[in-house]
Amino acid sequence: MAVGAQDDPPVDRPDPASDPGRGRRLGIDVGSVRIGVAASDPDGILATPVETVPRDTGARRTGGRPPGASRGTRSGPGPGADIARIAAIAVEYEAVEIIVGLPRTLRGEKGTSARMATEFAGRLRDSLPEVPVRLSDERLTTVSAARALRDSGVRARGQRQVIDQAAAVSILQSWLDERSSVMRSAEDAARSALSGDDE
């Protein structure tokens, strides 16, 4: 086992045993300044962008309202405006599952971004205990999103919010595609077992 491997955050994979079934999923791309949010359709086929939520690092450190926050933001210990907003989106979309991208280096190692995503996912679980929050490996999604937008004619300058949402779409779409494959394989296996019993 590599040094520090025991501290690596677990990476989730779609699993028929823990799948919540039909319903919308949210994809989350956690950045140091912004959080991209995407959502799926109820059948879990297509991911689309939702919005970009500003990080609320001040509330997490102090437990109070960060400088410049609106008066509607709750003061005192609480989840922070970023967590509160994503929780509100989850309720609005009736999300059955939330997928948080876990950035890793090309060698599969964790870094500051991975620790930040893991910590954020933990806070989200505390705020939404009834909704499963998964960590999904998301190497290079922001880079891929920026390249795809550039190729489609969108300039990166001034478009960070669009890139953050595109990265969230990429995270969620990867999860949806893998989930579809896993669920189809499980259904095929169940059908084969049933047809074998009939013989």
Side-chain angles (χ1 to χ4, degrees):
M1 187 186 324
V3 175
Q6 67 272 18
D7 297 327
D8 281 353
V11 175
D12 296 302
R13 304 290 296 274
D15 182 355
S18 60
D19 188 84
R22 187 177 186 273
R24 295 182 189 273
R25 273 89 176 150
L26 295 186
I28 308 291
D29 177 58
V30 181
S32 58
V33 179
R34 292 169 300 271
I35 302 157
V37 183
S40 76
D41 60 288
D43 291 319
I45 296 170
L46 183 65
T48 55
V50 174
E51 70 178 77
T52 301
V53 177
R55 283 298 304 269
D56 185 0
T57 54
R60 189 171 68 247
R61 282 196 307 269
T62 65
R65 192 169 68 216
S70 65
R71 286 184 302 163
T73 306
R74 214 170 82 192
S75 61
D82 49 4
I83 293 287
R85 177 58 193 144
I86 291 170
I89 294 171
V91 170
E92 178 186 343
Y93 280 74
E94 298 179 343
V96 297
E97 195 170 40
I98 299 174
I99 314 304
V100 177
L102 181 65
R104 291 174 181 263
T105 67
L106 290 176
R107 291 188 299 176
E109 299 166 346
K110 66 175 185 173
T112 304
S113 295
R115 285 189 290 272
M116 183 170 60
T118 303
E119 184 266 344
F120 189 86
R123 292 170 55 219
L124 202 50
R125 285 187 188 103
D126 291 343
S127 187
L128 287 166
E130 69 282 5
V131 180
V133 177
R134 322 281 193 199
L135 284 166
S136 179
D137 194 346
E138 58 111 334
R139 296 174 212 188
L140 299 179
T141 50
T142 301
V143 174
S144 300
R147 183 178 298 126
L149 288 171
R150 188 175 60 245
D151 291 347
S152 67
V154 177
R155 292 184 181 174
R157 179 175 293 179
Q159 298 295 328
R160 286 300 309 173
Q161 294 188 357
V162 176
I163 292 172
D164 294 329
Q165 291 177 35
V169 167
S170 179
I171 291 164
L172 182 55
Q173 191 64 56
S174 293
W175 179 272
L176 296 175
D177 292 346
E178 186 176 1
R179 175 183 178 268
S180 176
S181 176
V182 166
M183 298 301 282
R184 193 162 46 244
S185 294
E187 288 168 6
D188 289 347
R191 265 195 299 271
S192 294
L194 283 175
S195 63
D197 290 344
D198 292 341
E199 291 175 0

